[in-house]
Amino acid sequence: GTFGPLIRGLGAVTLRTDPPGAEVLCQEVVREGLVWQLGPTRVLGRTPLIRIPMEKGAHLLTLKRPGKRDTRYPIFIGRGVHWDSGPTPLPVFSDTEISEDFIYIPSGPFMAGGDPSAPGALKGSSPWEEGFFMARTPVTMQGWCDFINALHQEDPEAARSRLPRFDKRSPYWESPEPGQPYEVPKVDRDGDSWDPSFPVFGVSWEDALAYTEWVAARDQRPIILPNERQWEKSARGVDGRFFPWGNRFDASLCKMSRSRKSRKAQPEPIGCFELDRSIYGVTDLAGTIREWCVPCGEDAKGELATARGGSWYASGDAVCRAASRSLHEKWTVYTSVGLRLACRLPDPGSPSN
């Protein structure tokens, strides 16, 4: 009776979009089993939605509007909590504005850190993260090769200094003949096979920044290296899950050293593990390659950079947990660390928006 809503923990959601009139579909996130699933779809109405009653728990809202890409907007309703998208309407974007290679991560709070089993995890908090675009996949060897060849035309020594490498004196790639471009090798000097679709590795945080600046100039977009809060939200959504797919680990769900039986640990092309995908659609987060990020909080004031995510080289599930993090000197290189791009949202006053 009177106490029914309180016992059920009924909450509410308020959602405003720019432009208004977006149809809002809702699916419950069924937080059970190895891979969490989405429940049946129901229509909540059109934006603006004001204090629409919502059952407690995790939900995925999908915002649909003609001419715009569907926006995936996960929410988490605590007992009796009112989830509000904020005083500024949530912008929705077209495919052209986002681009095929990026995914829109809308503004809002999320559960960060707080995982005692994740090495180096931040203290649990619920920060508000402004919206951004996140690259769907990590940067590949071919993408890095394009960067190296652009450098090579202007400054061959600078290009050589940015090659994927084991250390400063040991690049994985051979220099090309005069007048010829670099190519991703089919086999390296150790006899290991390479694929242009492998994630790039053996590059430093400083190299990663140089790459983002090059892509930004080439594409005339505000491309950035993601900060670690952006990375963690892209991986975990807003409900505090430990892995992109849920709270339990299985090596077959992502690319790490135990993913393939009877096969030594080695890289694989991006996107090989379909279930290593966040609720937003960002892939290769628990495995494939650990990624350089801009550190946040107290670490932002230091001389160290952050690496987030699992990799093909990871031997245990702890480093594959989305809250795991490690700090490294910005000039160091690792066979397990590469990068992923992010992009700032378009200026609200720009003609394209």
Side-chain angles (χ1 to χ4, degrees), residues 78-348:
R79 180 173 290 278
V81 166
H82 173 214
W83 180 286
D84 193 326
S85 63
T88 303
L90 198 73
V92 291
F93 298 98
S94 67
D95 284 334
T96 300
E97 291 167 322
I98 301 171
S99 93
E100 181 181 356
D101 297 331
F102 285 81
I103 288 176
Y104 177 31
I105 312 295
S107 299
F110 75 105
M111 295 184 191
D115 180 358
S117 298
L122 295 168
K123 183 180 178 181
S125 64
S126 297
W128 179 283
E129 192 64 34
E130 294 298 328
F132 59 98
F133 300 148
M134 190 67 151
R136 191 183 305 271
T137 63
V139 175
T140 63
M141 288 290 178
Q142 184 59 56
W144 197 264
C145 189
D146 294 342
F147 166 56
I148 292 297
N149 280 321
L151 277 182
H152 185 59
Q153 292 179 357
E154 300 177 1
D155 187 340
E157 284 304 313
R160 184 171 175 78
S161 73
R162 302 288 190 193
L163 287 175
R165 56 201 181 274
F166 181 76
D167 57 35
K168 287 185 177 181
R169 297 190 182 92
S170 305
Y172 288 114
W173 300 357
E174 300 286 352
S175 296
E177 296 293 327
Q180 297 299 310
Y182 279 91
E183 294 182 352
V184 179
K186 293 182 179 179
V187 179
D188 65 19
R189 65 185 65 188
D190 297 324
D192 293 321
S193 297
W194 286 57
D195 187 310
S197 296
F198 282 175
V200 70
F201 55 81
V203 297
S204 69
W205 188 86
E206 295 167 341
D207 296 333
L209 280 187
Y211 179 81
T212 62
E213 291 169 0
W214 174 75
V215 175
R218 181 195 66 183
D219 297 350
Q220 293 296 291
R221 298 190 74 195
I223 299 295
I224 57 173
L225 195 66
N227 69 50
E228 57 177 318
R229 285 196 308 267
Q230 291 172 328
W231 191 97
E232 189 169 338
K233 183 174 181 180
S234 298
R236 302 180 77 180
V238 303
D239 55 19
R241 62 186 64 193
F242 297 142
F243 302 98
W245 55 80
N247 274 352
R248 290 168 49 193
F249 183 78
D250 189 290
S252 68
L253 300 182
C254 65
K255 176 56 189 176
M256 47 95 71
S257 66
R258 296 186 283 110
S259 298
R260 308 285 192 189
K261 294 182 178 179
S262 71
R263 195 187 280 189
K264 72 174 184 178
Q266 59 185 24
E268 290 188 43
I270 60 172
C272 283
F273 288 76
E274 178 66 25
L275 292 177
D276 188 2
R277 180 184 301 268
S278 77
I279 197 165
Y280 297 106
V282 182
T283 69
D284 298 309
L285 293 157
T288 301
I289 199 69
R290 201 157 173 81
E291 298 167 14
W292 288 118
C293 294
V294 175
C296 294
E298 289 299 315
D299 293 320
K301 304 174 184 177
E303 297 299 317
L304 301 178
T306 311
R308 304 294 298 253
S311 79
W312 63 271
Y313 194 73
S315 58
D317 66 303
V319 74
C320 297
R321 301 175 82 88
S324 72
R325 59 194 293 274
S326 54
L327 294 168
H328 308 275
E329 292 176 303
K330 296 178 179 179
W331 55 266
T332 53
V333 296
Y334 301 91
T335 55
S336 58
V337 181
L339 70 149
R340 181 190 305 261
L341 299 178
C343 183
R344 296 189 182 95
L345 298 187
D347 186 332

